[in-house]
Amino acid sequence: MHFATTTLLTVVLKSLGYIQTSHLPKSDIIKFVLFANCSIVGMNVSLMWNSVGFYQIAKLTMIPVSCLLEVVLDNVRYSRDTKLSIILVLAGVAVCTVTDVSVNTKGFIAAVIAVCSTALQQYYVHFLQRKYSIGSFNLLGHTAPAQAASLLLVGPFMDYWLTNKRVDAYDYGLTSTLFIILSCTIAVGTNLSQFICIGRFTAVSFQVLGHMKTILVLFMGFIFFGKEGLNLHVVLGMAIAIAGMIWYGNASSKPGGKERRSFSLPTSKTQDYAAVPVSSESVEKV
C-alpha cells in the first residue's frame, strides 16, 4: 500500500509535467524490485525471528557491506579519516542500541538476506540514476508500480505463511484505517527522500544518515515516553555517533576523502601513430 500510494503520486506528477518520460530496461527494473522486496521482507522477518540487539547489529553491518559494493563495483577509494569516521559512527550506535543479543539459525539467515538485499537495493538506486541520467521522481515512477503490484500479490501469502494470520481477517475500524492512510502518506516522503539522498550522494552516506534517525528515535522516545532506559552509556553512545557523523561529513567532502579511481593505460604502452610511416598506396585508399 505504501508503494501503491507512491505510484499514485508519480502518476499525478507525470500528468502535471513534473516527471518527464524516460526509459529504464525491464531487466534492471526486475533486478531492482527483487532486491527491494527481499530487503523489506528480510528486515521484517529478521526483527521477528531475532532479538532487537542482533537486529541492530545486522543493521550496523550494512555500512561495511555498502562500502564493499562501492569498492568492488565502482572502484571507490576511501581515505583513512573517512574509514575511521564510519567506524566511530558504528561504535556509537552499537553502544546506545545493542542490548540483548540472541540469534538462531533461521534468524541469522534472514539477517544475511536482509543486509545483502538492502545494500544491493540502495546501491542500485544510485547506479540506475547515474547510468541512465534519470532523477529520483523518474526512478520511482518506474519502480514503485512494479513493487506495489508484486508486494500486493505476494505479501498476503507470505504473511500467512509466517504468522498463520490473514490480513483480510483483521477488524479494520476508523482509527486503524486513518493510521494506515497516515502511514501511506508518510511513506511517500520516506521513499522519495531515500531516492533523492542516495541519488545525490551514495548508499554509504545514506546509511550513515540513517543512523542519525536511530539516534533521533531514541532521543524523542526519552522525551515523549519518559526517561526509562536513559543512562550514561546510552548518552555516551549518542554523543560518539553524532561526532562520527560530523566527522564523516567533513572527511568525505574533502578532496580524496571518497573518490572513484580511474584506470588509464600506461604511457609506455601507447603508440605514437604520427611516427608510423604511411605508404602512398594507403593514402590513396583513404
Side-chain angles (χ1 to χ4, degrees):
M1 293 180 72
H2 286 172
F3 287 105
T5 310
T6 305
T7 301
L8 180 62
L9 174 66
T10 58
V11 170
V12 172
L13 291 175
K14 191 171 184 178
S15 64
L16 295 175
Y18 290 102
I19 298 180
Q20 305 301 321
T21 303
S22 59
H23 172 69
L24 193 63
K26 288 184 179 180
S27 59
D28 284 324
I29 295 177
I30 292 172
K31 283 189 286 188
F32 178 87
V33 170
L34 179 64
F35 294 144
N37 289 356
C38 286
S39 169
I40 294 170
V41 175
M43 278 297 175
N44 282 282
V45 173
S46 175
L47 184 58
M48 182 170 66
W49 285 348
N50 295 316
S51 64
V52 177
F54 186 78
Y55 173 77
Q56 290 293 346
I57 290 177
K59 285 185 68 177
L60 290 176
T61 60
M62 280 194 288
I63 288 185
V65 174
S66 297
C67 289
L68 180 63
L69 285 176
E70 290 188 352
V71 170
V72 174
L73 300 178
D74 287 343
N75 296 318
V76 172
R77 184 181 65 83
Y78 294 91
S79 67
R80 183 179 61 87
D81 283 354
T82 305
K83 294 175 185 176
L84 290 175
S85 66
I86 292 175
I87 293 174
L88 192 64
V89 171
L90 295 176
V93 175
V95 167
C96 61
T97 60
V98 177
T99 52
D100 62 310
V101 178
S102 60
V103 63
N104 51 70
T105 304
K106 65 178 184 179
F108 178 79
I109 294 173
V112 170
I113 293 173
V115 170
C116 294
S117 58
T118 301
L120 283 167
Q121 181 258 342
Q122 293 180 358
Y123 171 81
Y124 252 75
V125 170
H126 183 76
F127 172 78
L128 292 176
Q129 290 189 55
R130 190 179 75 245
K131 181 178 179 180
Y132 297 104
S133 299
I134 57 178
S136 306
F137 281 110
N138 292 73
L139 185 57
L140 266 178
H142 286 290
T143 59
Q147 278 193 263
S150 58
L151 288 172
L152 285 171
L153 287 173
V154 178
F157 298 101
M158 179 71 71
D159 201 46
Y160 182 74
W161 176 59
L162 292 171
T163 65
N164 290 324
K165 295 180 181 180
R166 291 169 48 188
V167 176
D168 60 311
Y170 182 79
D171 185 19
Y172 293 95
L174 177 62
T175 304
S176 59
T177 303
L178 289 175
F179 271 100
I180 289 174
I181 294 172
L182 177 63
S183 177
C184 290
T185 305
I186 295 172
V188 173
T190 303
N191 292 331
L192 183 59
S193 64
Q194 181 194 43
F195 277 50
I196 291 175
C197 183
I198 297 178
R200 174 64 181 82
F201 303 104
T202 60
V204 176
S205 298
F206 178 76
Q207 284 294 335
V208 173
L209 186 64
H211 286 305
M212 187 63 198
K213 177 193 70 176
T214 304
I215 302 300
L216 287 174
V217 167
L218 287 172
F219 182 70
M220 293 175 69
F222 294 139
I223 291 177
F224 291 108
F225 303 109
K227 293 181 173 55
E228 183 180 354
L230 180 63
N231 50 48
L232 181 60
H233 86 270
V234 171
V235 175
L236 180 62
M238 288 182 177
I240 293 173
I242 293 173
M245 291 169 196
I246 295 172
W247 188 10
Y248 174 81
N250 183 50
S252 61
S253 62
K254 288 181 177 179
K258 182 179 179 181
E259 60 185 8
R260 282 186 176 83
R261 290 175 290 183
S262 58
F263 298 99
S264 57
L265 291 173
T267 54
S268 59
K269 298 285 186 178
T270 59
Q271 186 176 11
D272 186 3
Y273 289 97
V276 178
V278 181
S279 66
S280 59
E281 182 182 358
S282 63
V283 171
E284 289 174 0
K285 288 181 178 180
V286 172

